[in-house]
Amino acid sequence: MTPADVSEIWSMLDRDYLAAVARSHTNPVFATISGAHLYGFASPDSDVDLRGAFVQPLSDVLGLQPSRETITVEDKSRLDLDWVAHDVRKFARMMVNHNGYVLEQLFSPLVVVTSDAHQELLALGRGCVTRPTVRHYLGFARGRRLRLAEPAPTVKHLLYAYRVYLSGIHLMQTGEVVAHLPTLNQRFRLTTVDELIARKRAGAEKMLLAADELAQHARWLDELESQLHAAHDASALPNEATSVAALNDLVIRVRMTESRGL
């Protein structure tokens, strides 16, 4: 995602308002934008997916009652916004367990709230990019394709399928976490993807796909799935995260810092 791409997104969103929502409900380690805005095909009616990590108070973690490791806040006062965040310990556990979804949130260039701990997570997150992360992309693609097989498939559903395949192939081949479809397509050069993005951005989020059009895309998606399997087979990425110990130390340090009110 280029600086121009980032600027375009911020011209559509109120960053200060998003930061205020994140801080009003949690002590965030970071908050970033995910969803269609991150993927590069947001349209005027797209909702806003705010994602990140926060720090639970030490008293909540050590107390008698089970602590809440995930918060979900819906705010429709100014736009269709949902803020989903995990406690830093849970977030780190997901990072080391081949979870491509949280890695995309972590590496999102659309940063709403950051901190020193966020910068450390970014550095350690590079050690969490593994070969088994392919399971996330294959599973996500399978879900998108099931939706395309249901009645009334749309341009949006099709773009999500392309996005996840290209992200997965790119990650397996390069070790880079990239979720922005226009950036990915600079490498893959699929003309049909550019055309679909233009339709989606024009407000065609719910535009139905014709049967013959969908059949052709199904063949192209089959080819991308084969490429994803091949990229995984040839990948030099590690099979396990290499930054587990350092992440453990960071989680403890962040928790203790919060308990001292620093």
Side-chain angles (χ1 to χ4, degrees), residues 125-151:
R126 298 186 186 96
C128 298
V129 180
T130 62
R131 289 181 78 242
T133 309
V134 74
R135 293 196 294 263
H136 162 79
Y137 291 98
L138 287 169
F140 195 174
R142 188 175 303 114
R144 294 301 89 199
R145 299 195 68 177
L146 286 173
R147 178 61 188 87
L148 286 168
E150 294 175 359

Side-chain angles (χ1 to χ4, degrees), residues 97-98 130-136 172 232 237-240:
N97 279 291
H98 323 297
T130 62
R131 289 181 78 242
T133 309
V134 74
R135 293 196 294 263
H136 162 79
M172 288 295 110
H232 167 257
L237 293 173
N239 287 317
E240 299 294 339

Side-chain angles (χ1 to χ4, degrees), residues 173-193:
Q173 292 178 339
T174 70
E176 297 177 338
V177 181
V178 178
H180 189 248
L181 186 55
T183 297
L184 290 162
N185 205 37
Q186 289 176 11
R187 175 187 175 197
F188 289 92
R189 299 185 182 279
L190 303 179
T191 302
T192 186
V193 167

